Amino acid sequence: MTSHPVAVADPDRAKILLQALSSVSSRIATVAGQDQSKPHLPRLVAVSKLKPASDIQILYEYAGHRHFGENYVQELVDKAGHLPRDIQWHFIGSLQSNKCATLASIPNLFAVETVDAVKKARKLNEARNEDWQKLNVFIQVNTSGEESKSGAAPGEDTVDVARYIMNECPRLNLLGLMTIGSIARSNAAAGGEQNEDFTTLLETKHLVESELGIKELELSMGMSQDFEDAIRQGSTNVRVGSVIFGARPPRTTTA
């Protein structure tokens, strides 16, 4: 895979993006600063799905941002092939078994955040080049129980996937747990309540750590509408798209 220069968009677009990224970063720092127990700021993954590579190049070149998230495999492959090789990509879309090998072949893929089954972990591990750094993975947990959402069930199902990754996948690194919570729970939390999805993910993290004798798993939770609430409840990795890049166009290509 070779990297080719991507032209930066017009100055007006650059100004908009840089201001938006700066605003989100400031909000993260403000919220995280309220908890003195957090030694580091949560990681900001700028979700660039369906946005042009030139938008990413702006934030890379002028803001020094490195962590970007994509939902569609082919879009991630295309962008990774044209953008700088030190970008740290996160795959955050629904993970299909037949796409695992393609994802694992991206050298600068930092993390796959949507592993929800042993089979998918096995396929990622088998396809990852053993000479490369371990591929970070998050286990996606279906904290809301919605049939429309992917994810391992909280509790022993998640523990089983975690145990398999740790014991049987030497080319993977279990970085943490991830959830895409329900909109209703996010809206309720905006009114001052604790977000039940975030509470469930935190409890599942504690269970996995206890069962497997590990500690300091990360939590990937929180998106554009609720990342501040997620940080207050322990998130170490937030996935923010529209607040940075603006509304997305309709999708017209396949993953």
Side-chain angles (χ1 to χ4, degrees):
M1 187 191 312
T2 59
S3 177
H4 305 286
V6 172
V8 170
D10 64 88
D12 289 341
R13 179 61 175 164
K15 182 178 181 180
I16 290 170
L17 289 173
L18 292 169
Q19 287 179 341
L21 181 71
S22 177
S23 175
V24 171
S25 297
S26 295
R27 290 166 64 185
I28 289 172
T30 297
V31 176
Q34 296 173 2
D35 185 349
Q36 298 302 315
S37 68
K38 290 187 174 68
H40 305 291
L41 289 177
R43 183 187 302 109
L44 170 58
V45 180
V47 180
S48 46
K49 71 175 182 180
L50 302 180
K51 291 296 182 177
S54 57
D55 278 2
I56 300 169
Q57 184 70 34
I58 287 169
L59 298 184
Y60 171 92
E61 189 170 330
Y62 296 115
H65 199 73
R66 292 296 182 267
H67 289 272
F68 293 91
E70 292 290 338
N71 286 63
Y72 306 117
V73 174
Q74 191 56 53
E75 184 175 4
L76 175 51
V77 169
D78 291 344
K79 287 177 176 175
H82 289 84
L83 287 158
R85 289 288 292 270
D86 59 334
I87 285 178
Q88 297 183 288
W89 295 103
H90 295 239
F91 181 73
I92 61 173
S94 179
L95 181 61
Q96 298 175 327
S97 296
N98 63 351
K99 300 290 186 179
C100 287
T102 301
L103 280 173
S105 69
I106 300 172
N108 56 325
L109 181 64
F110 177 81
V112 177
E113 297 203 19
T114 49
V115 176
D116 59 4
V118 163
K119 178 181 179 180
K120 296 172 186 179
R122 181 176 70 249
K123 286 183 173 293
L124 286 171
N125 181 72
E126 290 172 348
R128 190 67 172 173
N129 189 321
E130 63 181 2
D131 295 327
W132 294 349
Q133 287 189 335
K134 289 185 177 184
L135 176 60
N136 294 309
V137 295
F138 289 81
I139 299 173
Q140 182 176 354
V141 182
N142 187 350
T143 54
S144 63
E146 295 171 281
E147 292 185 3
S148 61
K149 287 189 169 64
S150 301
E156 288 304 319
D157 284 356
T158 299
V159 172
D160 289 344
V161 178
R163 181 179 289 112
Y164 181 84
I165 292 169
M166 291 190 61
N167 294 340
E168 306 295 336
C169 299
R171 299 173 191 175
L172 305 183
N173 174 54
L174 178 60
L175 190 59
L177 307 181
M178 175 267 210
T179 191
I180 302 173
S182 75
I183 294 175
R185 290 179 176 178
S186 177
N187 290 339
E193 301 178 19
Q194 290 272 302
N195 188 311
E196 294 178 41
D197 289 311
F198 299 161
T199 299
T200 298
L201 196 69
L202 181 60
E203 292 171 348
T204 305
K205 161 185 147 73
H206 291 155
L207 175 64
V208 171
E209 290 174 335
S210 175
E211 290 287 324
L212 301 185
I214 58 178
K215 60 181 180 179
E216 297 182 352
L217 286 177
E218 291 200 20
L219 292 174
S220 177
M221 56 190 194
M223 296 184 287
S224 285
Q225 74 275 17
D226 58 9
F227 68 88
E228 287 160 307
D229 290 329
I231 292 170
R232 291 187 186 97
Q233 290 189 240
S235 182
T236 60
N237 186 87
V238 294
R239 313 177 304 273
V240 181
S242 59
V243 172
I244 296 173
F245 293 100
R248 300 183 184 95
R251 185 183 175 215
T252 58
T253 57
T254 57

